[in-house]
């Protein structure tokens, strides 16, 4: 059991910032059990868009959510999609490549997104400004207007990694007023923090 902090902002609750430092993680609890617990509409089909710069850990997070082997992960040149169905509840997670030449095509996948998941390599300090610029542009997209934002501060196990709070400040998350957001510390290679982020996402699906 490991403690992983998270920082969140619920814009529907007087813009109050909530910090949680005692989240207990059970890495053995899979995606299916989360969906069974959170599902409010058994016929609901959800679309989660997973974006971020190359090498941020998006595909590893996707495989972790699907309880798949993460020892063989290669850079995504196009997109990956994983669908999980449990008792009529279907969750589609789209993982789009983050290389610079692929990013212009991200907008082809914006339609009908329920939650935007943005992954940041917490140890890649040199590219924090770049990833912040990409996120800012995403938040201006009309098709993503009002869509809840989940930011994974990945690779927290590396010594040079900055904290989720520092990343939130660097990305200017506290200035976001048009949607609910949360930043979640995680270590994708062993699943720590991934479940907590997904749990928040499922609870904050925009109402259609």
């Amino acid at each position: 059991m490991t403690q992983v902090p998270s920082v969140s902002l619920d814009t529907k609750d007087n813009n109050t910032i909530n910090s949680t430092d005692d989240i207990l993680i059970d890495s053995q609890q899979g995606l299916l059990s989360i969906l069974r617990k959170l599902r409010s509409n058994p016929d609901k089909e959800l679309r989660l868009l997973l974006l971020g710069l190359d090498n941020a850990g998006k595909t590893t997070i996707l495989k972790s959510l699907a309880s798949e082997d993460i020892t063989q992960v290669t850079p995504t040149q196009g997109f990956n999609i994983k669908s999980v169905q449990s008792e009529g509840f279907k969750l589609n997670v789209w993982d789009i490549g983050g290389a610079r030449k692929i990013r212009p095509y991200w907008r082809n996948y914006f339609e009908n997104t329920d939650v935007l998941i943005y992954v940041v390599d917490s140890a890649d300090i040199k590219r924090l400004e770049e990833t912040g610029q990409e996120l800012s542009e995403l938040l201006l997209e009309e098709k993503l207007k009002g869509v809840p934002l989940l930011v994974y501060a990945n690779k927290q196990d590396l010594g040079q990694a900055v904290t989720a709070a520092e990343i939130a400040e660097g990305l200017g998350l506290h200035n976001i007023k048009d949607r609910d957001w949360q930043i979640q510390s995680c270590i994708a290679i062993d699943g720590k923090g991934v479940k907590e982020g997904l749990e928040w996402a499922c609870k904050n699906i925009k109402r259609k």
Side-chain angles (χ1 to χ4, degrees), residues 36-82:
R36 292 190 188 101
K37 181 176 68 172
L38 295 177
R39 152 179 128 266
S40 59
N41 185 342
D43 297 321
K44 181 74 171 177
E45 183 169 329
L46 308 178
R47 177 184 172 93
L48 278 62
L49 185 59
L50 187 62
L51 299 176
L53 302 189
D54 50 299
N55 200 41
K58 299 182 299 299
T59 302
T60 303
I61 287 176
L62 179 66
K63 287 180 173 291
S64 178
L65 291 176
S67 300
E68 294 184 359
D69 180 23
I70 61 173
T71 58
Q72 300 291 334
V73 177
T74 58
T76 302
Q77 299 302 319
F79 68 89
N80 298 308
I81 179 173
K82 300 292 181 183

